[in-house]
């Protein structure tokens, strides 16, 4: 029995080597896979996909496991470029998935302006084989093309091993691969001008920070007064999502049905549900707050709460 198992694995290894002869493979080093910057980039991309495709009730949990069959990429292509490829919604067999991926990627490459194959860092085989490096390169290119205002974590690099298999053996080399560029900004802008306005604010003297907070608080209470509500503590009173939802409804001119959220939330999950709904509504109105997660608001993160309220203040202060 042991001999049979040994022979089986030996045959399998031979097939793998032959199938990759003449090709170069890039593999992310295990140490880079644990890099916090890479983790943040993956989380940002997952959040971007899920917020974009929420109306289609599509939820992605893993970049490697959930994009290889072409379904999610097809929906993103349709959403951003208005292109619907004539393929089955669900491709169940490997052959059908590869065919679908080929058609979707062909259209995506056109929309991304990357018909030159030498500039493309992904292909059907890599995506279908759940190659994380190729998948991230593709998604970052899509964000840059379709939603350039979205801030992805800057300066993310990974160490990769490049392997080339030939009849004479395996050659390998190690190099750094850039996933997102350094945040250089425009040459005409200073570093201070490029930073998030709230990040800038929090670096100022305390009395200047308090002046801006008071202005935002006045703006909030002006819009909530008609409902008989007043905010005194921004961090605590927005943490459960109730006032945030009501404020968004007031500013955007729509009523949020009471059955859609918890009016008197008690548990953490109820609060998180409310704030997540508020973020979905902000996305639907075209207002995206970068680098802020619903959990940050529930946790009473001062900076996160200020960013959300400042975004609303900036959009509606003239009305």
């Amino acid at each position: 029995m042991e001999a049979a198992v040994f022979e089986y694995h030996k045959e399998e290894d031979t097939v793998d080597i032959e199938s990759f002869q003449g090709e170069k493979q890039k593999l992310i080093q295990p140490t880079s896979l644990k890099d916090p910057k890479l983790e943040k980039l993956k989380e940002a991309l997952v959040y971007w996909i899920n917020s974009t495709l929420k109306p289609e009730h599509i939820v992605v949990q893993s970049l490697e496991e959930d994009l290889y069959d072409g379904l999610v990429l097809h929906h993103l292509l349709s959403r951003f470029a208005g292109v619907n490829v004539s393929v089955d919604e669900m491709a169940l067999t490997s052959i059908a998935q590869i065919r679908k991926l080929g058609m979707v990627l062909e259209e995506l490459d056109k929309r991304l302006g990357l018909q030159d194959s030498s500039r493309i860092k992904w292909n059907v085989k890599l995506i279908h084989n759940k190659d994380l490096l190729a998948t991230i390169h593709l998604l970052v290119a899509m964000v840059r093309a379709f939603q350039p205002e979205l801030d992805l974590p800057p300066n993310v690099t990974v160490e990769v091993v490049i392997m080339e298999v030939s009849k004479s053996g395996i050659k390998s080399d190690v190099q750094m691969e850039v996933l997102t560029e350094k945040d250089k900004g425009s040459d005409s802008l200073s570093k201070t001008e490029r930073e998030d306005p709230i990040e800038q604010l929090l670096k100022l003297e305390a009395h200047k920070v308090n002046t801006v907070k008071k202005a935002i608080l006045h703006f909030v209470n002006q819009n909530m007064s008609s409902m008989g509500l007043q905010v005194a503590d921004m961090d605590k009173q927005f943490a459960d999502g109730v006032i945030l939802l009501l404020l968004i409804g007031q500013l955007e001119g729509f009523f949020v049905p009471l059955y859609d959220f918890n009016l008197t939330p008690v548990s953490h999950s109820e609060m998180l549900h409310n704030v997540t709904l508020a973020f979905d509504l902000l996305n639907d109105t075209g207002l995206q707050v970068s680098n802020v997660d619903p959990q940050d608001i529930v946790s009473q993160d001062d900076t996160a709460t200020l960013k959300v309220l400042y975004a609303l203040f900036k959009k509606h202060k003239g009305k």
Side-chain angles (χ1 to χ4, degrees):
M1 178 64 73
E2 291 181 1
V5 172
F6 177 78
E7 289 297 317
Y8 171 78
H9 284 290
K10 182 178 178 183
E11 181 183 354
E12 187 183 61
D13 289 344
T14 302
V15 172
D16 283 344
I17 291 173
E18 289 179 353
S19 66
F20 291 114
Q21 278 190 8
E23 290 187 12
K24 286 185 179 181
Q25 277 190 297
K26 285 185 181 181
L27 302 173
I28 301 177
Q29 290 274 51
T31 51
S32 284
L33 287 172
K34 299 176 183 177
D35 189 328
K37 285 187 176 181
L38 178 61
E39 286 298 319
K40 284 187 177 181
L41 177 59
K42 289 168 64 178
E43 289 171 6
L45 291 171
V46 167
Y47 182 78
W48 171 68
I49 294 170
N50 288 338
S51 59
T52 300
L53 299 183
K54 188 177 188 342
E56 281 95 305
H57 306 289
I58 292 175
V59 178
V60 166
Q61 295 180 327
S62 166
L63 296 181
E64 300 98 309
E65 298 296 330
D66 295 339
L67 274 73
Y68 75 96
D69 63 356
L71 185 145
V72 171
L73 292 174
H74 188 199
H75 277 266
L76 289 172
L77 174 66
S78 175
R79 189 82 171 171
F80 285 115
V83 176
N84 286 297
V85 181
S86 182
V87 291
D88 293 335
E89 176 70 6
M90 299 294 292
L92 302 178
T93 67
S94 181
I95 293 174
Q97 290 166 358
I98 290 172
R99 177 179 173 273
K100 180 174 184 174
L101 261 177
M103 297 175 70
V104 171
L105 289 182
E106 183 180 357
E107 289 296 329
L108 269 175
D109 292 345
K110 290 178 184 176
R111 299 311 185 281
L112 297 175
L114 297 173
Q115 287 90 342
D116 180 3
S117 60
S118 64
R119 296 172 57 201
I120 301 175
K121 298 179 180 179
W122 57 85
N123 57 43
V124 174
K125 183 176 181 180
L126 289 173
I127 302 298
H128 191 255
N129 285 342
K130 306 178 184 179
D131 186 288
L132 178 61
L133 188 63
T135 302
I136 290 178
H137 274 309
L138 171 59
L139 293 174
V140 169
M142 291 173 67
V143 171
R144 298 295 189 229
F146 298 133
Q147 217 162 350
E149 73 279 4
L150 187 68
D151 290 327
L152 293 177
N155 197 26
V156 181
T157 60
V158 290
E159 191 176 58
V160 298
V161 179
I162 303 175
M163 295 194 304
E164 186 174 5
V165 181
S166 64
K167 291 181 179 179
S168 60
I170 300 175
K171 296 178 183 179
S172 65
D173 187 25
V174 177
Q175 68 179 35
M176 298 304 294
E177 181 104 357
V178 176
L179 298 179
T180 59
E181 301 291 340
K182 291 182 180 179
D183 188 16
K184 295 179 180 178
S186 171
D187 293 338
S188 62
L189 296 178
S190 67
K191 181 177 185 296
T192 303
E193 288 173 316
R194 294 195 305 267
E195 288 181 354
D196 184 286
I198 296 302
E199 298 289 351
Q200 285 184 53
L201 168 68
L202 295 176
K203 293 178 181 179
L204 301 177
E205 295 90 338
H207 73 276
K208 292 183 178 179
V209 175
N210 288 331
T211 299
V212 176
K213 282 185 175 181
K214 286 179 181 178
I216 293 176
L217 193 61
H218 177 70
F219 162 77
V220 170
N221 286 327
Q222 262 191 329
N223 287 280
M224 299 305 295
S225 60
S226 62
M227 302 182 74
L229 296 172
Q230 186 170 23
V231 176
D233 188 324
M234 284 195 294
D235 300 338
K236 292 181 180 178
Q237 287 183 260
F238 282 99
D240 64 8
V242 175
I243 292 181
L244 182 57
L245 282 167
L246 296 175
L247 176 63
I248 293 170
Q250 281 286 94
L251 293 172
E252 297 294 342
F254 57 74
F255 176 72
V256 183
L258 298 181
Y259 56 76
D260 277 350
F261 67 100
N262 299 289
L263 193 57
T264 55
V266 177
S267 67
H268 178 275
S269 60
E270 289 175 338
M271 295 179 185
L272 187 59
H273 169 83
N274 285 355
V275 179
T276 301
L277 175 60
F279 272 54
D280 290 341
L281 293 175
L282 289 175
N283 286 333
D284 290 344
T285 60
L287 189 62
Q288 289 196 331
V289 185
S290 62
N291 300 323
V292 177
D293 188 79
Q295 178 59 52
D296 298 333
I297 306 298
V298 178
S299 300
Q300 300 181 21
D301 184 295
D302 182 40
T303 303
T305 305
L306 268 176
K307 282 184 177 182
V308 172
L309 295 178
Y310 176 77
L312 287 166
F313 171 73
K314 187 177 179 182
K315 181 179 179 180
H316 295 281
K317 64 180 178 180
K319 294 183 180 179

